[in-house]
Amino acid sequence: MLDAAFSIPLVALSDIGRVISLMFIGAGLLWILIRSLRAKEVDRRIVFLFIFIAVAAPILFPITFQERATLIVRKVFDKVESLPAGSKVLLAFDFDPAMAPEVQPMADAISRHCLTKGHNVIFMTLWATGQALLTQSLERVVKGEFPENRDGVDYINLGFKAGNENVLNIIVTDFRMMFPTDVNGVPLDSTSIFDDVRSCKDLDLIISIGGGKPGVKEWVLYVGDRVNVPMGAGVAAVVAPQLYPYYPKQLLGLLGGVKGAAEYESELVRQYPHLEERGTPGLRMMGPQTLAHMVIMAFIVIGNISFFISRRRERKR
Amino acid sequence: MEHFALWLGGFLTLGIFSFLYKDNPWYKLTEAIYVGISAGYFVVVYFWDNFYSKFWVGVFPHKRLNEAGELVAGVEPDYWLIIGGVLGLLMLMRLLPKVGWISRWPLAFIVGATAGLWLINYFASFVMVQIQNTVTPLFGADYNASLFVIVGNIVVAVGTFTGLIYFFFSKEHKGAFGSAARVGIFFLMITFGASFGYTVMSRMSLLIGRIDFLFGDWLGMIR
Amino acid sequence: MKRQVPIIITFLIGMIMIFSFFIPPLEGLEQTCSLFFDVIAVFAFFLGGGNLMRIHVNKLRRRKKDWGFSIVTLGGFFIMLAAGLLKIGNPGGIAASPTTEGSLLQEIFTYVFLPLQSTMYALLAFFVASASYRAFRAKNREATILLIAAFVILLGRTPFGMLLTGWIPESFSVLQVPNMAIWIMNSPNLAGQRAIMIGIGLGVISMSLRLILGIERTYLGDESA
Amino acid sequence: MSSHPMTSRPLYFIILSFLFTFFPSCGGSSIALAQAEPIDIATTQMIPDSEQVVVEPVTSLIAADHKYDDGGMIDLSWVPSIDDQLVASRVIGYKVYRIEDEGEPEMISELAPGSNTYNDQSVERGKLYSYFVSTLSINAETPSVRTAPIEPQREWLNYELLNVLIMALVLGGAVIYFIETARRGKKLFVRKIAGLEAVDEAIGRATEMGRPILFIPGILDMDDVQTLAALTILGRVARIIADYDTKIFMPVSRSLVMTAGRETIKASYQAAGRPDAYSDDMVTYITDEQFGYVAAVDGIMVREKPATCFLLGAFFAESLILAETGNSVGAIQIAGTARPAQLPFFIAACDFTLIGEELFAASAYLSGEPKQMGSLKGQDVGKAIAMAAILIGILTVTIGDAWNVEWIQNITTGLVDVFSTR
């Protein structure tokens, strides 16, 4: 039963290393299961070994699991997917380097998705430390993968503005008052992307990615609640539980932690298989996480089986 | 140097991991290194941060050096700090067996300050705030909560209430009271199970980081 | 004198700290006290550091088991002391912060201390696994509940959760495992946390009062308690 | 307050001004209203630009002493300029100026459009301050009128926290009342706490096996209550250990805890009549660093193989590392902490766990003295109050919302006020 879990076409087995390590884990678990059917306890060092392999194998031979997006994530994906080409999407990069490993994969995946669909994307950040990360994503995803897209026409980078929620308070009615120019000093009036965008009201979708303050909560309170523009969000895993109450009314969907990023990536890759080679860091990080979780769950099941068997034997005596 | 640092890092990392198999000289060596340098590091940091920057510079501010290494004057000395210094010296009296008992005075000071401070802070933020937070309408503020939210609200209310019953010391857990306390324990157990499950993922990330170091940075096995 | 003075000190300081919460002119008292504490702690460090040295020197002198490792510990300790107190290799000289980038202290910190620290921390991943294997067993009703809650959350954080329950229609999406995990975190978990926190608050009040009123005095070395 | 013409001002202004003219110390604070004094200062110079955008000034500027502080804050509030609008606003922000003791105006803050309050936290008692706020357009600055000078006031009691004080006194009173009742000889019932019932057995087991007992008081210093709780428990435990003549070993990560731990164990041995059996080596300092300490304690556990481990106090991520290692050497483990995040790990890996409140109650429970037990009963009064408040609060807020009954809503408001902390 347990090794069956690993032979479901969950995994794209293409590499011998993967096959061997997965077979090792599967066969090992089976062996332990048989042993525990004879009511033998597993030495903790064997548990340690399994965890080590479960984490190391997917790192050495990248294993990605096919995630299926939960509703809360798919809502965001479907929104981006259903908007007509040329829609105006605002992406806020409200995070710092400490949070980046968790949320930057989301930001990249969403940017990639928007540009693939031909949306016009407006990038900005409320975090001084987010500026560098925004530039990073811009160089890598926007300029690197979509060289044909033109700055000011297909996308624009407004950069960082100090003032936290006050910035939101203003752009909700007028972008140009807070951002007379984009990050390069080009006046907004001279960019075609801002031709018919005066305030946040004129956007088609706002996605806030962050995990601190100012962040998603501020975007909801100062912008989302005041204008009738759908809002999506991506946050670090620890913050996610505090934001669930906003879903589905104030937030149309929410991506939480590496798992949220991985779910979005998987949905994206399923829709646009050619994007897979562009990198799926969320899915890649989920590999070891998932395998380790599965090993732990397998051990919990095995532990309980051996517990029940030994208890039954005791009763028989 | 870079190369040496990587190999040192690998050596120490494996030294700690070897403990998982069993205690061994390699682990003992890494442990000895770790204890020695970490204790030394903290002495140094405490000395400069607490003794020098807070105490010495506070009492003798003219001794302060600025970034450029010049003496800066003009800050008022804080003579209150001397009380702290005296208490600290009393602590050292332990080294003299005859008057060692006097070291209880600074201990008494610390215990009094800690007890008083935390008494009121825990009361305000652990008791008052939590009670206040629990008082929310069961059917949502604007009366349009979904069924699941309502169930959730009721669960929070019942769980907090029965959880408190579990902690009652002066009543035996018998009869209806006992059943309520049992419900309380169930809630506590859900809490513990859920928090445990929730943390597993972040703990795995730490290991992923170390294995990334071992196979990637150190051995260069990851592209 | 030996017995009464410490109890009086505890009582007075404790009472002052409690009431300073309500008296604005005393609002800085908390910081002052923690400053005092820091200073006392530095002096106490002579006792702690002294103890560390004494133990290892004794081990060395008496050639106790594993005495060789004591040399390593003492060596590491003194190297750090020298590096930090004399600020060896500090690009900013003696006036700079001891932890300046490039100083010997900081180099050792980065290349020796940090790998050790993060590896020790990473051991948790293994222990989380062995603890869940051992502890999550349906021994009785409480343990079963613990097991189920943990299992749902674990399942909710893997693709497995969605795979098993993804067929449940949208209108009942709450029954899908990942959503159930969210619900558990937000409702019963919150209730348990609150009950624990209120209990802790009350426990601290009662214990602190026992200390301040001198009913609890074992820590003072008062043998009559 | 000055007697400037106020006819053009709203009625409440006049009333307020009168109030503060005749009762300047009313409510322990004073309010300075903006005076209609024209001011000309260097900062208001207009840029000689043909297309200068002149905006209206802010109105109704009020500077008031911040209530219930030590006299270190002044609160400003105003009505924003009428040109400060959500759409097509000509206002790009505000500047707050302060004049100290009739000196030169000094710009203290720049604020975004839409702002209408500011807290000046850099004032001192004994000085007079007056303020004005100027409205900024793209190329001009329009100052408001100046407030009358105001001096920040110190208050001796924070009335906003009066409810906290009263509740604290009620709870503290309950604890003391039951301590006194118990002291006078009234028998008070306290239920069994499993983790503490096991202490005797755990120590006895170590004695039988001839192996030591390990006591870990958490990794925080004496300035944390959990460490204090651990030490009070240590006092009781060490007393039993001394009676049994078993070995106790206590590695610590803080020098002060080492000192306090030695005092505690020594006293317990003296109380047991065995001062000669005590040695300072029972308590050793290792290192202040969290994981360095853990590395060493793990080593101690596998080498000394303690029969019993006490893990009581403040623990962080190391909780599980210690508990699992202790378990692997076959020790009976009694753990306890008030950190909710670490409790699950202790529950999973230890034999007995003192959950939160039980940690603080433990030493009273172990002492068996009536007066200590009385304090536990006092705690229960607090729990009863909390439960009643939660029950009444949820019922009234739900019913009050549902049927919009005003008096029920008032109960809710009152209840929430009683438990508010600011």
Side-chain angles (χ1 to χ4, degrees), chain C residues 43-63:
Chain C
F43 280 93
F45 223 100
F46 281 98
L47 303 172
N51 181 254
L52 181 84
M53 281 195 276
R54 203 173 56 84
I55 288 171
H56 288 285
V57 169
N58 274 349
K59 243 186 180 176
L60 258 175
R61 268 214 320 244
R62 297 188 193 145
R63 292 286 190 277

Side-chain angles (χ1 to χ4, degrees), chain D residues 33-37 39 99 102 130-132 144-148:
Chain D
L33 297 174
Q35 290 169 302
E37 268 174 23
I39 39 164
I99 297 146
E102 294 300 316
S130 70
Y131 296 84
F132 65 90
S144 72
V145 290
R146 233 174 92 174
T147 65

Side-chain angles (χ1 to χ4, degrees), chain C residues 146-160:
Chain C
L146 185 82
L147 165 72
I148 293 170
F151 208 81
V152 170
I153 300 280
L154 279 172
L155 208 56
R157 312 211 83 195
T158 60
F160 241 31

Side-chain angles (χ1 to χ4, degrees), chain D residues 191-391:
Chain D
R191 73 162 164 95
K192 281 189 163 42
I193 299 175
L196 298 174
E197 289 294 307
V199 166
D200 261 320
E201 186 203 323
I203 296 172
R205 179 173 180 260
T207 318
E208 279 167 27
M209 297 170 81
R211 291 210 238 144
I213 289 166
L214 199 65
F215 193 100
I216 313 283
I219 62 156
L220 287 188
D221 213 333
M222 292 288 286
D223 57 351
D224 188 272
V225 266
Q226 298 175 65
T227 313
L228 294 190
L231 286 171
T232 57
I233 301 169
L234 173 69
R236 314 289 173 202
V237 169
R239 175 69 203 267
I240 306 172
I241 292 173
D243 284 339
Y244 276 94
D245 195 15
T246 309
K247 247 177 80 187
I248 181 172
F249 188 59
M250 178 174 165
V252 299
S253 78
R254 306 282 166 167
S255 306
L256 276 173
V257 180
M258 177 188 85
T259 313
R262 283 180 177 169
E263 285 287 341
T264 310
I265 298 181
K266 194 173 172 183
S268 300
Y269 272 74
Q270 272 167 354
R274 315 194 56 243
D276 49 306
Y278 168 80
S279 133
D280 268 356
D281 290 340
M282 289 172 173
V283 186
T284 56
Y285 166 81
I286 291 178
T287 168
D288 269 53
E289 203 272 327
Q290 183 185 9
F291 288 106
Y293 174 70
V294 174
V297 173
D298 266 7
I300 291 167
M301 279 179 172
V302 294
R303 281 159 224 155
E304 308 285 327
K305 301 224 180 331
T308 304
C309 293
F310 290 92
L311 302 159
L312 303 165
F315 289 89
F316 294 78
E318 69 283 356
S319 61
L320 190 64
I321 303 182
L322 294 174
E324 272 297 288
T325 311
N327 182 277
S328 74
V329 300
I332 277 203
Q333 303 198 87
I334 298 177
T337 184
R339 288 186 47 80
Q342 302 308 326
L343 278 167
F345 301 114
F346 280 151
I347 298 267
C350 296
D351 301 276
F352 300 97
T353 307
L354 302 174
I355 302 167
E357 187 174 8
E358 294 172 342
L359 172 74
F360 299 104
S363 94
Y365 184 91
L366 288 172
S367 78
E369 292 171 42
K371 56 182 178 179
Q372 299 251 14
M373 297 287 205
S375 72
L376 300 185
K377 184 129 183 141
Q379 268 164 259
D380 283 357
V381 173
K383 260 162 274 175
I385 294 176
M387 284 160 60
I390 289 172
L391 195 65

